[in-house]
Every structure is written in structure tokens, then in C-alpha cells.
């Protein structure tokens, strides 16, 4: 070990840092890191946390109207998991020296982004099926490689998240399966949900590689192991056979198996729509932010009361100790 | 008023016989609430049988920049390891 650090003496701090990551060493909160590494990680981890938190809203919409107690407890547990994911990730992000209040403020002011998929409405029960199946499915594809990312607290949070995601996707697929085995109207409802969620789910895996700005640096820091296009192809390849099992049609006339490449070819993605939603003009951007900010503001007195109570208890304890 | 809830570090014992392990952190107004929140955030699937919460400000951490002086002295003390001692092969149970 000693020899190694002597050999390293001609390298800059940054070169040593990059070497550690290349050797699959983890970076921990108090380690030296380049400012750009810190900033990029705060941005990505907080964006991820915000997505988990805002992601509760479209599904929360159906908890009170779930069609059975079984579906209701499952959906409730899933939404609670998403809250947990948000909290694991916020706590990982805070180890980089940013406070929870700053992170919330960035979300609430619109400065920080969250996954654009959550700006679409959930208008039927089948949307709960489609979200679990497709949105959590795409999230899993995004997240599994992050379990090996270079920043220790982020990697550990992702391990916990990934363990929990698989139930999310399975409960969604089961909802779809039940609808598809039901009446004609129920099957129509499932098809309609697939029609609406398919393209946004593909967009969820991010812009195409030729326009994606962060890829190269992110690859080096293991924030990304595969490019957006590779992830998207993987998602399509594994989802199409699942749609076949459901007996549903993927809403893409250009979708077909390519013998030569061993992958599915697929049609043009409407990136204009994607950027519109990212810029705040999706069907529910305003509704989501109003719900989030409103909940935070209406909760102020509760947070204050809890602090006041904690202080009172503390004072009582101290006074009692003095009295003895 | 606007006083933010402090940060707590959460340690969970997964089952009796194992030590408490650091699981992450969360915000809570007091220790009791930290315990309740830790239950909801970190043990939704029976991941624990016991929880410790410590307000983060009470943890003193070593600085990785001093890792050399802290941990390197152990590296040349090979005589602390059993393999340092040469014994004939026919000595058993040692
Ligand atoms: Fe999640
Ligand atoms: Fe997620
Ligand atoms: Fe999920």
C-alpha cells in the first residue's frame, strides 16, 4: 500500500481519484472528490429522489378506488415503498453536503427536474397496471446498473431500492393480466392504458445517445453502465414478449423482430412531446407541483408543532434532572 | 417559526446474534419520532429486530486525509498475524 501511494505522488488528486473509480473502489462521503463529481451526483441523486416522491401522486390517485382489498393493500404498500425510495435517496444526497431543505426548495421552485413520466394522468384503474408493468419495469432497467455505481451511499440506496422494485412490477403485470382475462371492456381498458403509457415509458429511458450530454462522463463515474439507447432496446426486447402473453398490441406499427440484429426494430419516438413535458407543458406538470407544494405548505404547522413538542419534552427532562 | 427537523443516523440489528449496522439517515423532531420513522423507512419487510437512532451531530468521524497516520502503522506489524510464526508441519491443532 505504501509503495502504491509513493508511485502515485506524481499524479494529481483528480487523477488518483479517477484511478480509484477505475479500480472499482467506492467513494465515501468524507473522501476528497472533484467539485464536478459532487455537483453531478447531487443533481442526479436528487432528481432521482424527486422522481420517487412525485411518482407517488399518479398512483395515490387510485388508492381509495382500488377494486378490491387485495389490490388496495398492494397499491398502498407500493406507494409507501416509493416514499421510502425517495427518503433513502435524499439521505444519500445529503451526505454530499446539501441540506434536505435546499433539495425541497429546488423541487418546489421548479429548478430541479423529476422524471417526466409522472406528468401523465392516471384516468382508469388499468393505469395502475400499466405503470407497475412499464414504468417500474423501465425504472428497474435504469436502476439495476446503479447498484454498482462509484458513490457508496448512492450504490447502497440503490441496492435497497432494487430489492423492492420487483414486487412493484409484478403487481402491475398481475393487474394487467386480470383485466386481459376479464370481460371485453376490461381488456379494452388494459389496451387503452398500454396505448397511452408505451411511448412515455420509452422516453423515460432518456434522450437518444446522439443528443444525450452527460453520457461519457457518467460512464466514467459509473453513474451509467449502458447508454440510453442500449437500455431502451433492452426494455423493448424484454417487454414485447410480455405484451404477447397478455394478448395486447404494442401501439407501434413499425415494431418487428429483426432476425439479423436479434432485437426488435421500433418506430420513431416523438421527442418533441418529451421536451414539451420536460419543459413543464405536460398534461399534469402543474397539478403535480401544486399537489406537492401544497402538501408541504399545509404541513408546516405540523412540523413546527412537532419541533415545539420535542423542545418542551427536552426542557422538562433537563428541569427534572436539575431538581434531583 | 421554521425550525428544521434534525438529522438522525439509523442503525438496525437484522436479527439477534448480529450487530447493529448503519442503514442510513432520516429527519425527525426527536428520538422517539426518529425510531418510528426508522421503523417505516428501513424495516418495512422485517429487516430488523432492534433499532438505534443517534442524532447525526453527535457522531465524530475520522478524516480520510489522516488515513495514513491512523491506519498505516498496522501494516508493518505482521507479527500480529498467526501466519508470521513458523512452526513444523507436524504440530497439529494450532
Ligand atoms: Fe421506486
Ligand atoms: Fe426509482
Ligand atoms: Fe417502484
Amino acid at each position: 500500500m505504501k509503495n502504491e501511494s509513493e508511485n502515485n505522488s506524481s499524479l494529481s488528486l483528480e487523477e488518483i481519484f479517477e484511478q480509484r473509480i477505475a479500480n472499482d473502489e467506492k467513494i465515501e462521503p468524507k473522501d476528497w472528490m472533484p467539485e464536478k463529481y459532487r455537483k453531478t451526483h447531487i443533481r442526479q441523486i436528487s432528481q432521482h429522489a424527486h422522481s420517487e416522491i412525485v411518482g407517488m401522486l399518479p398512483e395515490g390517485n387510485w388508492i381509495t378506488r382500488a377494486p378490491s382489498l387485495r389490490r388496495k393493500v398492494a397499491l398502498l404498500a407500493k406507494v409507501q415503498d416509493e416514499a421510502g425510495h425517495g427518503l433513502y435517496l435524499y439521505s444519500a444526497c445529503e451526505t454530499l453536503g446539501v441540506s434536505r431543505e435546499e433539495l425541497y426548495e429546488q423541487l418546489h421552485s421548479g429548478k430541479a427536474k423529476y422524471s417526466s413520466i409522472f406528468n401523465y394522468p392516471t384516468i382508469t384503474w388499468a393505469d395502475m397496471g400499466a405503470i407497475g408493468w412499464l414504468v417500474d419495469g423501465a425504472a428497474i432497467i435504469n436502476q439495476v446498473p446503479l447498484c454498482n455505481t462509484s458513490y457508496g451511499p448512492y450504490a447502497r440506496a440503490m441496492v435497497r431500492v432494487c430489492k423492492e422494485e420487483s414486487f412493484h412490477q409484478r403487481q402491475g403485470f398481475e393487474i394487467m393480466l386480470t383485466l386481459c382475462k376479464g370481460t371485453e371492456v376490461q381488456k379494452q381498458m388494459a389496451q387503452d392504458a398500454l396505448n397511452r403509457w408505451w411511448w412515455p415509458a420509452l422516453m423515460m429511458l432518456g434522450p437518444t445517445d446522439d443528443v444525450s450530454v452527460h453520457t461519457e462522463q457518467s460512464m466514467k463515474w459509473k453513474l451509467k453502465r449502458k447508454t440510453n439507447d442500449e437500455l431502451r432496446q433492452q426494455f423493448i426486447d424484454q417487454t414485447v414478449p410480455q405484451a404477447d402473453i397478455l394478448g395486447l398490441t404494442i401501439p407501434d406499427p413499425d415494431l418487428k423482430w429483426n432476425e439479423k440484429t436479434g432485437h426488435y426494430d421500433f418506430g420513431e419516438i416523438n421527442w418533441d412531446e418529451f421536451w414539451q413535458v420536460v419543459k413543464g407543458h405536460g398534461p399534469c406538470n402543474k397539478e403535480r407541483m401544486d399537489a406537492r407544494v401544497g402538501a408541504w405548505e399545509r404541513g408546516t404547522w405540523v412540523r413546527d408543532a412537532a419541533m415545539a413538542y420535542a423542545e418542551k419534552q427536552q426542557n422538562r427532562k433537563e428541569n427534572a434532572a436539575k431538581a434531583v | 417559526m421554521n425550525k428544521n427537523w434534525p438529522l438522525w443516523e439509523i442503525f438496525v440489528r437484522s436479527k439477534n446474534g448480529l450487530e447493529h449496522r448503519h442503514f442510513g439517515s432520516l429527519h425527525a423532531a426527536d428520538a422517539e419520532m426518529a425510531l418510528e420513522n426508522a421503523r417505516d423507512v428501513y424495516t418495512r419487510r422485517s429487516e430488523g429486530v432492534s433499532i438505534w437512532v443517534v442524532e447525526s451531530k453527535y457522531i465524530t468521524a475520522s478524516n480520510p486525509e489522516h488515513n495514513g497516520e491512523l491506519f498505516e502503522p498496522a501494516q508493518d506489524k505482521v507479527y500480529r498475524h498467526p501466519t508470521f510464526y513458523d512452526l513444523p508441519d507436524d504440530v497439529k491443532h494450532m
Side-chain angles (χ1 to χ4, degrees):
Chain A
M1 277 316 229
K2 232 178 188 168
N3 289 337
E4 209 174 278
S5 59
E6 273 159 24
N7 290 342
N8 280 346
S9 60
S10 57
L11 298 176
S12 71
L13 272 176
E14 188 150 355
E15 285 166 328
I16 297 171
F17 178 85
E18 298 291 347
Q19 219 171 52
R20 289 180 61 196
I21 293 182
N23 292 338
D24 265 332
E25 269 183 63
K26 296 288 177 204
I27 307 303
E28 293 295 344
K30 289 178 70 94
D31 291 346
W32 183 87
M33 61 187 79
E35 202 41 36
K36 193 164 170 235
Y37 181 91
R38 184 189 303 278
K39 287 223 172 92
T40 304
H41 276 75
I42 290 177
R43 197 190 61 233
Q44 171 156 340
I45 301 172
S46 65
Q47 239 174 57
H48 194 163
H50 299 327
S51 302
E52 303 283 354
I53 296 301
V54 178
M56 288 191 282
L57 296 170
E59 290 179 295
N61 182 30
W62 279 91
I63 291 174
T64 56
R65 290 171 293 159
S68 70
L69 188 57
R70 184 176 187 276
R71 293 289 183 223
K72 189 171 183 157
V73 291
L75 186 59
L76 198 54
K78 180 193 189 282
V79 171
Q80 197 190 7
D81 273 356
E82 307 300 4
H85 298 175
L87 294 176
Y88 308 155
L89 288 161
Y90 280 131
S91 105
C93 199
E94 285 172 85
T95 64
L96 289 161
V98 61
S99 72
R100 182 74 60 94
E101 291 66 41
E102 285 171 81
L103 295 173
Y104 283 165
E105 154 56 30
Q106 288 168 4
L107 173 65
H108 297 166
S109 66
K111 193 177 154 229
K113 298 271 175 266
Y114 55 87
S115 185
S116 62
I117 192 111
F118 300 120
N119 291 313
Y120 289 86
T122 46
I123 54 186
T124 74
W125 170 250
D127 290 358
M128 297 305 97
I131 288 181
W133 173 35
L134 302 171
V135 177
D136 289 83
I140 290 171
I141 285 188
N142 250 329
Q143 289 170 347
V144 167
L146 287 172
C147 294
N148 288 311
T149 192
S150 64
Y151 188 56
Y154 192 25
R156 292 191 285 277
M158 291 320 298
V159 169
R160 207 168 286 134
V161 167
C162 286
K163 264 192 213 153
E164 299 180 348
E165 286 293 350
S166 138
F167 133 66
H168 299 177
Q169 194 185 19
R170 290 174 68 105
Q171 67 89 37
F173 193 81
E174 199 195 72
I175 291 172
M176 294 302 269
L177 200 60
T178 307
L179 289 171
C180 289
K181 288 196 283 198
T183 64
E184 193 46 43
V185 179
Q186 287 171 326
K187 186 162 183 185
Q188 279 306 315
M189 198 196 266
Q191 180 65 56
D192 166 66
L194 171 58
N195 292 348
R196 283 179 292 108
W197 290 96
W198 174 253
W199 292 103
L202 296 191
M203 295 175 200
M204 211 183 135
L205 294 151
T208 52
D209 296 346
D210 51 327
V211 297
S212 176
V213 278
H214 302 302
T215 300
E216 203 189 326
Q217 180 68 81
S218 297
M219 288 274 186
K220 239 172 62 192
W221 288 339
K222 300 175 181 170
L223 271 172
K224 242 181 199 309
R225 314 307 292 258
K226 291 181 180 174
T227 70
N228 294 349
D229 287 337
E230 287 169 334
L231 294 171
R232 190 161 18 246
Q233 188 68 59
Q234 184 189 340
F235 175 74
I236 293 169
D237 290 348
Q238 70 185 46
T239 308
V240 175
Q242 295 166 352
D244 290 342
I245 291 171
L246 294 172
L248 295 179
T249 310
I250 297 214
D252 177 359
D254 297 322
L255 185 85
K256 65 166 190 295
W257 178 250
N258 184 328
E259 220 29 273
K260 250 193 258 157
T261 59
H263 295 291
Y264 283 91
D265 293 336
F266 55 97
E268 193 74 35
I269 293 171
N270 182 353
W271 290 109
D272 284 344
E273 175 183 322
F274 173 76
W275 291 114
Q276 281 301 310
V277 181
V278 169
K279 284 177 190 141
H281 311 301
C284 300
N285 295 59
K286 189 176 172 322
E287 191 183 325
R288 298 289 181 248
M289 284 326 288
D290 286 351
R292 171 64 205 161
V293 175
W296 180 250
E297 284 172 356
R298 286 191 305 275
T300 308
W301 73 268
V302 181
R303 295 191 299 277
D304 288 349
M307 270 317 271
Y309 177 76
E311 270 162 29
K312 197 169 94 183
Q313 293 298 106
Q314 187 62 31
N315 289 340
R316 261 192 204 159
K317 249 190 238 165
E318 278 163 22
N319 289 337
K322 270 183 223 151
V324 175
Chain B
M1 189 165 92
N2 192 24
K3 256 203 182 157
N4 295 318
W5 290 357
L7 189 66
W8 300 74
E9 300 301 322
I10 310 303
F11 300 82
V12 176
R13 185 200 297 288
S14 320
K15 59 175 191 189
N16 277 9
L18 296 178
E19 61 279 75
H20 285 78
R21 198 163 57 79
H22 185 237
F23 264 43
S25 57
L26 50 76
H27 290 268
D30 57 23
E32 227 142 305
M33 189 196 280
L35 275 177
E36 281 162 12
N37 289 357
R39 196 273 311 260
D40 291 341
V41 176
Y42 292 107
T43 65
R44 286 193 301 285
R45 288 178 177 77
S46 328
E47 290 94 336
V49 295
S50 162
I51 304 174
W52 290 348
V53 300
V54 183
E55 210 180 322
S56 308
K57 67 177 182 193
Y58 293 121
I59 290 189
T60 308
S62 66
N63 185 338
E65 278 167 35
H66 303 150
N67 274 7
E69 57 211 70
L70 269 181
F71 303 117
E72 271 175 24
Q75 280 166 19
D76 49 25
K77 294 179 175 57
V78 281
Y79 46 86
R80 283 177 175 159
H81 299 278
T83 46
F84 180 73
Y85 300 93
D86 283 327
L87 300 186
D89 284 349
D90 39 347
V91 178
K92 300 295 178 205
H93 308 297
M94 204 178 278

